[in-house]
């Protein structure tokens, strides 16, 4: 601002140069509050709390800047926050005793700044972050298809799920990494891998981790990427996708929701969809050709029994891998991830892991989101900022029903009456273990 004092301008530049310096940012916020610029002070205090969620001075400053009632005195071992100059105390409007006119919307907005972003962008699926969970990439050339470069996510970043990792290593990764052993044992690279299981259990993330293990580019393809209103264009799109993957090799082509892309042709009345399946079969048949060296095909579906049988014939998507709801180790990792940037205290993760058995990864994210919402709204109602605790998390877990239950209800019938050739033996074994069969 043109009317800023030289000191304010200097401090603003210093904070911009050292954004993680919490004491400097709090000093800047104190000066803003002293000049009656409470809104800006709130913003700076909120950023400080994001960098240091437990900082008592930052919390005290946030309370004063928002004009909320003072928090209880800190223990003697914690130094009190610096008192603002008298000018700030006289210029900050005080809420009259007994007044119920609290600005709910403003409080929600300001308190929301104390909570980390709902979806962290980072790399790892960075996660997608991993989040962002997902590495970004360059399709190269003038390709119309998005190709993510080799991401930082590895199978080690997938919490728990050791059975899945072992199966991936044996059926897919070990032959890829060891060409000499592959030739010695006559192991073919022909064919792809089909991941199936309840929704929200990390099939896409696992596919990205496989790409990371191989040091390969990653293309995620869905039905909307392929279908087109003009005759012949959908088939051309399928061909172009694989051509792009060949140019970007090594590249993992991930076909998401395969049941939509490759539905059984006997049940498909639209000729365009049947033609898409035919073209997909043609491309899959070429996976072992010289032109397709370094092109790896992964697919995911919640309903493998709806996928055209020709797609699962040997040499195509002939390997299947059941991806189940996260085990205890995976739930611990997922909960830690979704709580890492939120203001929490006294959270017993071991107890929380036990009460969330059968929850999918998406369910666990929903638990953390619901708990954060509960704490935020409670803070808005009372006018006192508080941390997210076990009461919020256990209450959220009690409200949410595992989304995988309906999937297992359908899968049970398939396991009992349509397990031809032992295709779903791993599913049968799991259902028996859980006494659902």
């Amino acid at each position: 601002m043109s009317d800023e004092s030289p000191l304010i301008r200097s401090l603003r530049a210093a904070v911009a140069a050292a954004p993680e310096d919490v004491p400097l940012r709090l000093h800047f916020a104190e000066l803003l509050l002293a000049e009656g610029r409470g809104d800006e002070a709130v913003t700076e205090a909120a950023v400080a709390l994001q960098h240091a969620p437990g900082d008592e001075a930052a919390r005290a400053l946030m309370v004063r800047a928002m004009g909320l009632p003072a928090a209880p005195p800190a223990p003697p071992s914690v130094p009190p926050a610096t008192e603002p100059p008298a000018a700030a105390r006289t210029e900050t409007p005080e809420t009259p005793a007994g007044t119920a006119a609290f600005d709910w919307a403003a409080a929600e907005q300001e308190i929301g700044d104390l909570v980390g972003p709902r979806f962290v962008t980072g790399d790892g699926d960075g996660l997608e972050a991993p989040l962002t969970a997902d590495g970004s990439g360059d399709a190269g050339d003038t390709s119309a298809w998005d190709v993510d470069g080799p991401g930082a996510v590895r199978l080690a970043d997938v919490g728990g799920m050791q059975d899945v990792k072992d199966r991936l290593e044996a059926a897919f990764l070990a032959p890829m990494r060891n060409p000499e052993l592959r030739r010695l044992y006559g192991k073919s690279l022909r064919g792809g891998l089909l991941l199936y299981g309840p929704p929200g259990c990390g099939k896409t993330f696992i596919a990205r981790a496989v790409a990371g293990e191989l040091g390969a580019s990653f293309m995620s393809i869905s039905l909307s990427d392929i279908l087109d209103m003009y005759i012949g264009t959908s088939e051309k799109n399928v061909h172009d996708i694989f051509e792009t993957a060949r140019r970007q090799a090594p590249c993992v082509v991930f076909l998401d929701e395969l049941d939509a892309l490759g539905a059984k042709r006997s049940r498909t009345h639209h000729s365009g969809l049947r033609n898409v399946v035919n073209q997909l079969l043609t491309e899959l048949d070429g996976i072992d050709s010289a032109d397709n060296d370094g092109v790896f095909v992964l697919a995911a579906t919640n309903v493998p029994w709806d996928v055209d049988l020709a797609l699962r014939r040997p040499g195509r998507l002939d390997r299947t891998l059941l991806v189940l709801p996260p085990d205890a180790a995976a739930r611990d990792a997922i909960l830690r991830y979704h709580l890492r940037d939120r203001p929490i205290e006294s959270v017993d993760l071991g107890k929380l892991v036990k009460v969330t058995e059968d929850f999918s990864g998406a369910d666990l994210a929903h638990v953390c989101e619901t708990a954060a919402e509960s704490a935020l709204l409670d803070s808005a109602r009372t006018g006192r900022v508080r941390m997210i605790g076990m009461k919020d998390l256990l209450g959220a877990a009690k409200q949410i029903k595992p989304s995988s239950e309906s999937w297992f209800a359908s899968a049970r019938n398939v396991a009992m009456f349509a397990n031809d050739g032992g295709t779903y033996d791993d599913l049968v074994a799991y259902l028996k273990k859980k006494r659902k069969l």
Side-chain angles (χ1 to χ4, degrees):
M1 296 181 181
S2 58
D3 57 346
E4 282 185 347
S5 67
L7 178 58
I8 291 291
R9 285 199 300 272
S10 298
L11 279 175
R12 190 184 298 280
V15 169
E20 296 183 4
D21 189 332
V22 173
L24 176 63
R25 189 178 292 277
L26 291 180
H27 180 56
F28 179 45
E30 290 281 8
L31 290 178
L32 290 171
L33 188 59
E35 291 197 358
R37 297 158 71 164
D39 290 344
E40 293 182 62
V42 165
T43 300
E44 298 300 332
V47 175
L49 281 168
Q50 288 180 351
H51 290 296
D55 192 294
E56 291 294 337
R59 294 176 67 178
L61 178 59
M62 170 66 78
V63 170
R64 288 189 286 109
M66 293 176 64
L68 299 177
S77 58
V78 179
T82 305
E83 280 295 319
R89 294 197 298 271
T90 58
E91 293 180 16
T92 302
E94 298 189 7
T95 304
T99 298
F102 184 79
D103 191 340
W104 184 296
E108 271 191 327
Q109 181 178 359
E110 300 299 350
I111 294 172
D113 290 339
L114 301 181
V115 182
R118 292 182 175 182
F119 301 99
V120 180
T121 57
D123 232 299
D125 237 21
L127 248 210
E128 217 179 283
L131 307 127
T132 54
D134 300 341
S136 60
D138 179 5
D141 299 27
T142 57
S143 171
W145 306 101
D146 293 332
V147 181
D148 292 346
V153 191
R154 299 291 185 273
L155 286 179
D157 298 319
V158 179
M161 305 177 77
Q162 191 58 46
D163 289 345
V164 171
K165 295 175 184 177
D166 291 344
R167 289 280 304 278
L168 279 171
E169 184 67 31
F172 202 71
L173 294 174
M176 300 289 186
R177 294 197 193 100
N178 300 278
E180 294 83 4
L181 289 176
R182 189 173 70 240
R183 286 192 293 270
L184 175 64
Y185 289 99
K187 174 68 174 176
S188 171
L189 280 185
R190 186 176 184 182
L193 179 68
L194 175 62
L195 306 171
Y196 79 97
C201 290
K203 293 184 285 295
T204 301
F205 185 55
I206 290 173
R208 288 187 178 276
V210 169
E213 290 287 339
L214 297 173
S217 301
F218 186 84
M219 294 180 68
S220 181
I221 306 300
S222 63
L223 184 66
S224 60
D225 296 317
I226 290 176
L227 283 191
D228 193 279
M229 62 184 292
Y230 297 106
I231 296 175
T233 304
S234 298
E235 298 91 306
K236 182 179 182 300
N237 287 341
V238 173
H239 178 69
D240 288 348
I241 286 167
F242 280 85
E243 282 296 305
T244 300
R246 293 176 189 115
R247 290 195 299 271
Q248 298 288 338
C251 182
V252 169
V253 178
F254 177 61
L255 305 175
D256 200 8
E257 301 296 343
L258 184 65
D259 51 289
L261 281 170
K264 289 184 176 179
R265 287 168 290 178
S266 59
R267 300 181 183 177
T268 303
H269 301 292
H270 191 284
S271 61
L273 286 175
R274 289 198 295 271
N275 292 339
V276 166
V277 176
N278 292 334
Q279 183 65 42
L280 189 55
L281 292 171
T282 299
E283 299 296 339
L284 289 174
D285 283 338
I287 286 179
D288 65 338
S289 70
D291 289 341
N292 284 299
D293 284 347
V295 176
F296 313 112
V297 178
L298 301 181
T301 179
N302 301 326
V303 284
W305 41 87
D306 284 346
V307 174
D308 194 284
L309 294 178
L311 284 170
R312 303 183 60 184
R313 197 190 72 185
R316 293 169 182 169
L317 295 171
D318 50 2
R319 302 176 184 88
T320 60
L321 181 61
L322 175 60
V323 181
L324 294 165
D327 54 23
R331 294 198 298 277
D332 182 283
I334 293 169
L335 288 167
R336 286 181 186 276
Y337 172 75
H338 286 288
L339 291 173
R340 67 178 184 177
D341 288 329
R342 301 181 192 272
I344 61 174
E345 63 181 358
S346 303
V347 171
D348 184 351
L349 269 182
K351 184 175 182 180
L352 193 57
V353 165
K354 289 181 181 178
V355 301
T356 52
E357 186 175 2
D358 294 331
F359 279 48
S360 69
D363 294 334
L364 295 172
H366 189 26
V367 166
C368 297
E369 188 70 19
T370 302
E373 181 181 82
S374 174
L376 186 152
L377 293 180
D378 186 45
S379 297
R381 291 189 184 102
T382 62
R384 300 176 69 83
V385 178
R386 71 171 178 82
M387 310 289 269
I388 300 169
M390 278 298 288
K391 182 178 179 181
D392 302 299
L393 290 162
L394 292 176
K398 188 175 181 180
Q399 293 176 30
I400 297 170
K401 185 177 182 180
S403 59
S404 62
E405 289 184 1
S406 59
W407 186 88
F408 281 113
S410 300
R412 179 175 178 273
N413 295 327
V414 174
M416 290 176 63
F417 306 113
N419 188 24
D420 300 331
T423 303
Y424 303 112
D425 281 351
D426 47 0
L427 175 60
V428 171
Y430 178 79
L431 291 174
K432 287 181 177 178
K433 179 181 177 181
K434 303 290 287 188
R435 297 184 178 179
K436 296 181 180 181
L437 191 61

